[in-house]
Amino acid sequence: MKTVLLGSTGKLGSAWRRLGQDRDDLDITDGPGREQVDLAVPGALEFLPQHLGGTGSELIIHAAAWTDVDGCERDADTARRVNTDSVAAIADTCKRNGTGLLFYSTAYVFDGTGPRGAEDDTRPLNVYGRTKTDAEEIIRSADIPYLIVRINVPLAPPAHGNSFYSFLLEHLSSGTPVRIVTDQWNNPLDTGRIVRWSWEAWQNGVRGTLHLGGGTYATRYDIARMVADYVGADHSL
């Protein structure tokens, strides 16, 4: 299947490119990079459809996003351009060209009151969560084949983009104390499994909204201690 990948240099995009090298049934072409279409720049989105329209792809994998929750809170306009408005342009392109869309969303579409299933009502508490919730609704109303994959705490090697894992390693390796919350529970999963399971789901006809998480259900603090154990770092940090 011929696909176009948006966000090819990020942690999920890097994992998709590695998967494409291992699979004969997956032909990945990198979509426009930031030097061609910087989603954060006002007015740049009007050029996105022309970069995507002539690719002849059967599927667009949208793995590009601004995931800095605090940054989104400080700059809601940029967060909306990157995380929501871009999705509207991509969904419109998919509809005009008969292309499917695989889109990555987040657990931040919920309010944090407990474990949630894919069909539960969303109630985001912050700007980042609202931009992703709105993006999901745009996709659902676009009348295109789609799969929305919600993830939380994607773990990636530091060389493949910023993640909670690379954030921790930076502090642990330098001996710098780091404050980690104890009241946020997650199911961390490495990016390799995220993209492999996403692809297998799409290939097997799964459509709609899918939650992907690992078997470990733990607080961010517990996860940080697991990472410290894994790399042999000092727990007291």
Side-chain angles (χ1 to χ4, degrees):
M1 178 179 287
K2 187 173 183 181
T3 67
V4 171
L5 173 64
L6 297 174
S8 61
T9 60
K11 53 183 177 290
L12 286 174
S14 298
W16 270 107
R17 286 190 288 107
R18 295 195 301 274
L19 182 67
Q21 294 170 356
D22 296 334
R23 301 285 295 247
D24 294 332
D25 59 350
L26 181 58
D27 178 12
I28 294 180
T29 299
D30 289 349
R34 190 170 297 176
E35 66 282 355
Q36 297 169 295
V37 180
D38 188 343
L39 301 179
V41 175
L45 289 178
E46 63 183 279
F47 299 104
L48 188 57
Q50 71 185 48
H51 283 285
L52 297 174
T55 60
S57 63
E58 301 171 71
L59 176 68
I60 292 177
I61 302 168
H62 190 2
W66 191 21
T67 60
D68 181 350
V69 178
D70 294 330
C72 290
E73 208 68 26
R74 291 189 295 268
D75 189 352
D77 289 341
T78 298
R80 178 152 295 276
R81 279 196 302 273
V82 175
N83 293 338
T84 308
D85 296 345
S86 69
V87 174
I90 293 165
D92 183 64
T93 301
C94 288
K95 186 171 183 177
R96 285 188 282 106
N97 294 296
T99 307
L101 178 59
L102 195 160
F103 173 73
Y104 284 100
S105 191
T106 172
Y108 281 96
V109 300
F110 297 111
D111 61 6
T113 55
R116 289 290 181 264
E119 303 306 320
D120 288 342
D121 292 337
T122 57
R123 200 173 84 176
L125 300 179
N126 51 40
V127 171
Y128 174 61
R130 286 194 292 273
T131 62
K132 300 295 275 190
T133 302
D134 292 344
E136 288 187 7
E137 290 306 312
I138 288 170
I139 294 170
R140 293 190 185 99
S141 63
D143 191 26
I144 58 174
Y146 72 87
L147 178 60
I148 295 168
V149 180
R150 291 180 181 146
I151 57 177
N152 66 134
V153 195
L155 301 179
H160 299 144
N162 294 325
S163 74
F164 186 58
Y165 181 63
S166 57
F167 164 76
L168 287 171
L169 284 189
E170 180 181 351
H171 285 78
L172 295 173
S173 62
S174 63
T176 306
V178 57
R179 293 172 62 87
I180 305 293
V181 296
T182 60
D183 60 351
Q184 184 180 4
W185 291 76
N186 295 103
N187 298 89
L189 187 63
D190 65 278
T191 54
R193 287 184 176 89
I194 289 173
V195 302
R196 188 171 72 250
W197 293 349
S198 299
W199 178 240
E200 290 174 358
W202 183 268
Q203 287 289 75
N204 282 285
V206 178
R207 301 293 183 267
T209 304
L210 178 69
H211 285 184
L212 281 186
T216 300
Y217 184 54
T219 68
R220 290 267 180 158
Y221 177 76
D222 292 332
I223 297 168
R225 288 179 65 90
M226 293 176 197
V227 172
D229 281 338
Y230 181 69
V231 300
D234 182 3
H235 276 175
S236 68
L237 295 173

